[in-house]
PDB file of all heavy atoms in Angstrom:
ATOM      1  N   ILE O  25     226.833 157.805 103.560  1.00 98.00           N
ATOM      2  CA  ILE O  25     225.892 157.507 104.651  1.00 98.00           C
ATOM      3  C   ILE O  25     225.281 158.802 105.203  1.00 98.00           C
ATOM      4  O   ILE O  25     224.074 158.886 105.433  1.00 98.00           O
ATOM      5  CB  ILE O  25     226.605 156.700 105.776  1.00 98.00           C
ATOM      6  CG1 ILE O  25     227.040 155.333 105.237  1.00 98.00           C
ATOM      7  CG2 ILE O  25     225.701 156.547 107.005  1.00 98.00           C
ATOM      8  CD1 ILE O  25     225.923 154.467 104.690  1.00 98.00           C
ATOM      9  N   ALA O  57     234.757 151.420 107.801  1.00 98.00           N
ATOM     10  CA  ALA O  57     234.270 152.792 107.572  1.00 98.00           C
ATOM     11  C   ALA O  57     232.740 152.820 107.538  1.00 98.00           C
ATOM     12  O   ALA O  57     232.109 153.711 108.114  1.00 98.00           O
ATOM     13  CB  ALA O  57     234.841 153.343 106.261  1.00 98.00           C
ATOM     14  N   LEU O  58     232.141 151.817 106.897  1.00 98.00           N
ATOM     15  CA  LEU O  58     230.675 151.762 106.845  1.00 98.00           C
ATOM     16  C   LEU O  58     230.103 151.549 108.254  1.00 98.00           C
ATOM     17  O   LEU O  58     229.131 152.198 108.651  1.00 98.00           O
ATOM     18  CB  LEU O  58     230.230 150.630 105.899  1.00 98.00           C
ATOM     19  CG  LEU O  58     228.723 150.386 105.810  1.00 98.00           C
ATOM     20  CD1 LEU O  58     227.969 151.648 105.339  1.00 98.00           C
ATOM     21  CD2 LEU O  58     228.406 149.219 104.858  1.00 98.00           C
ATOM     22  N   THR O  59     230.739 150.650 109.007  1.00 98.00           N
ATOM     23  CA  THR O  59     230.285 150.378 110.372  1.00 98.00           C
ATOM     24  C   THR O  59     230.307 151.653 111.210  1.00 98.00           C
ATOM     25  O   THR O  59     229.324 151.995 111.883  1.00 98.00           O
ATOM     26  CB  THR O  59     231.230 149.338 111.032  1.00 98.00           C
ATOM     27  OG1 THR O  59     231.277 148.177 110.212  1.00 98.00           O
ATOM     28  CG2 THR O  59     230.751 148.966 112.417  1.00 98.00           C
ATOM     29  N   LEU O  60     231.435 152.358 111.167  1.00 98.00           N
ATOM     30  CA  LEU O  60     231.577 153.560 112.009  1.00 98.00           C
ATOM     31  C   LEU O  60     230.631 154.661 111.545  1.00 98.00           C
ATOM     32  O   LEU O  60     230.080 155.391 112.367  1.00 98.00           O
ATOM     33  CB  LEU O  60     233.033 154.037 111.996  1.00 98.00           C
ATOM     34  CG  LEU O  60     234.024 153.076 112.675  1.00 98.00           C
ATOM     35  CD1 LEU O  60     235.450 153.599 112.559  1.00 98.00           C
ATOM     36  CD2 LEU O  60     233.657 152.841 114.151  1.00 98.00           C
ATOM     37  N   ALA O  61     230.429 154.760 110.230  1.00 98.00           N
ATOM     38  CA  ALA O  61     229.518 155.794 109.726  1.00 98.00           C
ATOM     39  C   ALA O  61     228.087 155.504 110.173  1.00 98.00           C
ATOM     40  O   ALA O  61     227.346 156.412 110.565  1.00 98.00           O
ATOM     41  CB  ALA O  61     229.592 155.866 108.200  1.00 98.00           C
ATOM     42  N   MET O  62     227.693 154.233 110.152  1.00 98.00           N
ATOM     43  CA  MET O  62     226.326 153.896 110.605  1.00 98.00           C
ATOM     44  C   MET O  62     226.210 154.090 112.113  1.00 98.00           C
ATOM     45  O   MET O  62     225.189 154.559 112.611  1.00 98.00           O
ATOM     46  CB  MET O  62     225.959 152.479 110.185  1.00 98.00           C
ATOM     47  CG  MET O  62     225.817 152.349 108.666  1.00 98.00           C
ATOM     48  SD  MET O  62     224.932 150.883 108.111  1.00 98.00           S
ATOM     49  CE  MET O  62     225.968 149.561 108.688  1.00 98.00           C
ATOM     50  N   ALA O  63     227.260 153.725 112.867  1.00 98.00           N
ATOM     51  CA  ALA O  63     227.240 153.919 114.328  1.00 98.00           C
ATOM     52  C   ALA O  63     227.088 155.408 114.648  1.00 98.00           C
ATOM     53  O   ALA O  63     226.352 155.790 115.558  1.00 98.00           O
ATOM     54  CB  ALA O  63     228.501 153.353 114.965  1.00 98.00           C
ATOM     55  N   ALA O  64     227.791 156.243 113.878  1.00 97.00           N
ATOM     56  CA  ALA O  64     227.786 157.686 114.152  1.00 97.00           C
ATOM     57  C   ALA O  64     226.512 158.368 113.658  1.00 97.00           C
ATOM     58  O   ALA O  64     226.319 159.560 113.886  1.00 97.00           O
ATOM     59  CB  ALA O  64     229.007 158.333 113.500  1.00 97.00           C
ATOM     60  N   SER O  65     225.630 157.637 112.994  1.00 97.00           N
ATOM     61  CA  SER O  65     224.418 158.272 112.446  1.00 97.00           C
ATOM     62  C   SER O  65     223.385 158.562 113.529  1.00 97.00           C
ATOM     63  O   SER O  65     222.369 159.193 113.267  1.00 97.00           O
ATOM     64  CB  SER O  65     223.812 157.387 111.353  1.00 97.00           C
ATOM     65  OG  SER O  65     223.265 156.195 111.907  1.00 97.00           O
ATOM     66  N   GLY O  66     223.619 158.078 114.754  1.00 96.00           N
ATOM     67  CA  GLY O  66     222.651 158.327 115.835  1.00 96.00           C
ATOM     68  C   GLY O  66     223.370 158.466 117.146  1.00 96.00           C
ATOM     69  O   GLY O  66     224.530 158.889 117.202  1.00 96.00           O
ATOM     70  N   ILE O 157     219.651 154.363 117.983  1.00 95.00           N
ATOM     71  CA  ILE O 157     220.919 153.667 117.776  1.00 95.00           C
ATOM     72  C   ILE O 157     221.037 153.304 116.289  1.00 95.00           C
ATOM     73  O   ILE O 157     220.152 152.633 115.745  1.00 95.00           O
ATOM     74  CB  ILE O 157     220.994 152.385 118.647  1.00 95.00           C
ATOM     75  CG1 ILE O 157     221.117 152.742 120.122  1.00 95.00           C
ATOM     76  CG2 ILE O 157     222.132 151.460 118.198  1.00 95.00           C
ATOM     77  CD1 ILE O 157     222.461 153.273 120.556  1.00 95.00           C
ATOM     78  N   ALA O 158     222.093 153.753 115.663  1.00 96.00           N
ATOM     79  CA  ALA O 158     222.397 153.442 114.260  1.00 96.00           C
ATOM     80  C   ALA O 158     221.172 153.535 113.329  1.00 96.00           C
ATOM     81  O   ALA O 158     220.832 152.568 112.651  1.00 96.00           O
ATOM     82  CB  ALA O 158     223.034 152.052 114.160  1.00 96.00           C
ATOM     83  N   PRO O 159     220.527 154.718 113.264  1.00 96.00           N
ATOM     84  CA  PRO O 159     219.366 154.854 112.372  1.00 96.00           C
ATOM     85  C   PRO O 159     219.706 154.566 110.904  1.00 96.00           C
ATOM     86  O   PRO O 159     218.850 154.091 110.157  1.00 96.00           O
ATOM     87  CB  PRO O 159     218.900 156.300 112.577  1.00 96.00           C
ATOM     88  CG  PRO O 159     220.048 157.000 113.223  1.00 96.00           C
ATOM     89  CD  PRO O 159     220.802 155.971 114.001  1.00 96.00           C
ATOM     90  N   ALA O 160     220.929 154.806 110.504  1.00 97.00           N
ATOM     91  CA  ALA O 160     221.304 154.519 109.107  1.00 97.00           C
ATOM     92  C   ALA O 160     221.192 153.020 108.844  1.00 97.00           C
ATOM     93  O   ALA O 160     220.767 152.599 107.768  1.00 97.00           O
ATOM     94  CB  ALA O 160     222.730 154.998 108.826  1.00 97.00           C
ATOM     95  N   ASP O 161     221.564 152.221 109.835  1.00 96.00           N
ATOM     96  CA  ASP O 161     221.435 150.775 109.659  1.00 96.00           C
ATOM     97  C   ASP O 161     219.977 150.373 109.554  1.00 96.00           C
ATOM     98  O   ASP O 161     219.614 149.514 108.747  1.00 96.00           O
ATOM     99  CB  ASP O 161     222.088 150.011 110.823  1.00 96.00           C
ATOM    100  CG  ASP O 161     221.722 148.537 110.765  1.00 96.00           C
ATOM    101  OD1 ASP O 161     222.155 147.871 109.799  1.00 96.00           O
ATOM    102  OD2 ASP O 161     220.966 148.054 111.630  1.00 96.00           O
ATOM    103  N   LYS O 162     219.131 151.000 110.361  1.00 94.00           N
ATOM    104  CA  LYS O 162     217.711 150.636 110.311  1.00 94.00           C
ATOM    105  C   LYS O 162     217.153 150.854 108.907  1.00 94.00           C
ATOM    106  O   LYS O 162     216.476 149.991 108.343  1.00 94.00           O
ATOM    107  CB  LYS O 162     216.935 151.449 111.349  1.00 94.00           C
ATOM    108  CG  LYS O 162     215.526 150.967 111.519  1.00 94.00           C
ATOM    109  CD  LYS O 162     214.802 151.691 112.623  1.00 94.00           C
ATOM    110  CE  LYS O 162     215.256 151.227 114.000  1.00 94.00           C
ATOM    111  NZ  LYS O 162     214.646 152.003 115.083  1.00 94.00           N
ATOM    112  N   LEU O 164     218.904 151.170 106.028  1.00 97.00           N
ATOM    113  CA  LEU O 164     219.566 150.342 105.012  1.00 97.00           C
ATOM    114  C   LEU O 164     219.146 148.872 105.132  1.00 97.00           C
ATOM    115  O   LEU O 164     219.013 148.178 104.123  1.00 97.00           O
ATOM    116  CB  LEU O 164     221.087 150.461 105.123  1.00 97.00           C
ATOM    117  CG  LEU O 164     221.668 151.795 104.623  1.00 97.00           C
ATOM    118  CD1 LEU O 164     223.164 151.858 104.896  1.00 97.00           C
ATOM    119  CD2 LEU O 164     221.405 151.994 103.125  1.00 97.00           C
ATOM    120  N   LEU O 179     227.957 143.545 104.533  1.00 97.00           N
ATOM    121  CA  LEU O 179     226.756 144.284 104.942  1.00 97.00           C
ATOM    122  C   LEU O 179     226.194 143.746 106.262  1.00 97.00           C
ATOM    123  O   LEU O 179     225.749 144.516 107.114  1.00 97.00           O
ATOM    124  CB  LEU O 179     225.689 144.248 103.836  1.00 97.00           C
ATOM    125  CG  LEU O 179     226.056 145.021 102.560  1.00 97.00           C
ATOM    126  CD1 LEU O 179     224.960 144.877 101.496  1.00 97.00           C
ATOM    127  CD2 LEU O 179     226.303 146.511 102.859  1.00 97.00           C
ATOM    128  N   SER O 182     228.758 144.793 109.088  1.00 98.00           N
ATOM    129  CA  SER O 182     228.712 146.220 109.464  1.00 98.00           C
ATOM    130  C   SER O 182     227.386 146.553 110.143  1.00 98.00           C
ATOM    131  O   SER O 182     227.345 147.382 111.055  1.00 98.00           O
ATOM    132  CB  SER O 182     228.939 147.114 108.240  1.00 98.00           C
ATOM    133  OG  SER O 182     228.025 146.794 107.219  1.00 98.00           O
ATOM    134  N   SER O 183     226.307 145.887 109.736  1.00 96.00           N
ATOM    135  CA  SER O 183     225.008 146.135 110.357  1.00 96.00           C
ATOM    136  C   SER O 183     225.047 145.755 111.834  1.00 96.00           C
ATOM    137  O   SER O 183     224.662 146.539 112.714  1.00 96.00           O
ATOM    138  CB  SER O 183     223.947 145.313 109.607  1.00 96.00           C
ATOM    139  OG  SER O 183     222.738 145.281 110.289  1.00 96.00           O
ATOM    140  N   ILE O 184     225.534 144.554 112.113  1.00 96.00           N
ATOM    141  CA  ILE O 184     225.584 144.096 113.512  1.00 96.00           C
ATOM    142  C   ILE O 184     226.562 144.953 114.316  1.00 96.00           C
ATOM    143  O   ILE O 184     226.241 145.447 115.393  1.00 96.00           O
ATOM    144  CB  ILE O 184     225.990 142.604 113.575  1.00 96.00           C
ATOM    145  CG1 ILE O 184     224.885 141.741 112.948  1.00 96.00           C
ATOM    146  CG2 ILE O 184     226.270 142.176 115.019  1.00 96.00           C
ATOM    147  CD1 ILE O 184     225.241 140.257 112.828  1.00 96.00           C
ATOM    148  N   SER O 186     227.745 147.960 113.819  1.00 97.00           N
ATOM    149  CA  SER O 186     227.417 149.385 114.019  1.00 97.00           C
ATOM    150  C   SER O 186     226.585 149.552 115.289  1.00 97.00           C
ATOM    151  O   SER O 186     226.790 150.485 116.068  1.00 97.00           O
ATOM    152  CB  SER O 186     226.661 149.958 112.813  1.00 97.00           C
ATOM    153  OG  SER O 186     225.381 149.355 112.678  1.00 97.00           O
ATOM    154  N   ALA O 190     227.856 151.492 118.675  1.00 96.00           N
ATOM    155  CA  ALA O 190     227.094 152.624 119.207  1.00 96.00           C
ATOM    156  C   ALA O 190     226.665 152.365 120.655  1.00 96.00           C
ATOM    157  O   ALA O 190     226.484 153.287 121.436  1.00 96.00           O
ATOM    158  CB  ALA O 190     225.876 152.891 118.325  1.00 96.00           C
TER     159      ALA O 190
END
Side-chain angles (χ1 to χ4, degrees):
I25 295 302
L58 176 59
T59 304
L60 293 177
M62 292 197 297
S65 69
I157 290 287
D161 169 66
K162 190 175 285 175
L164 287 175
L179 292 178
S182 54
S183 168
I184 294 174
S186 66

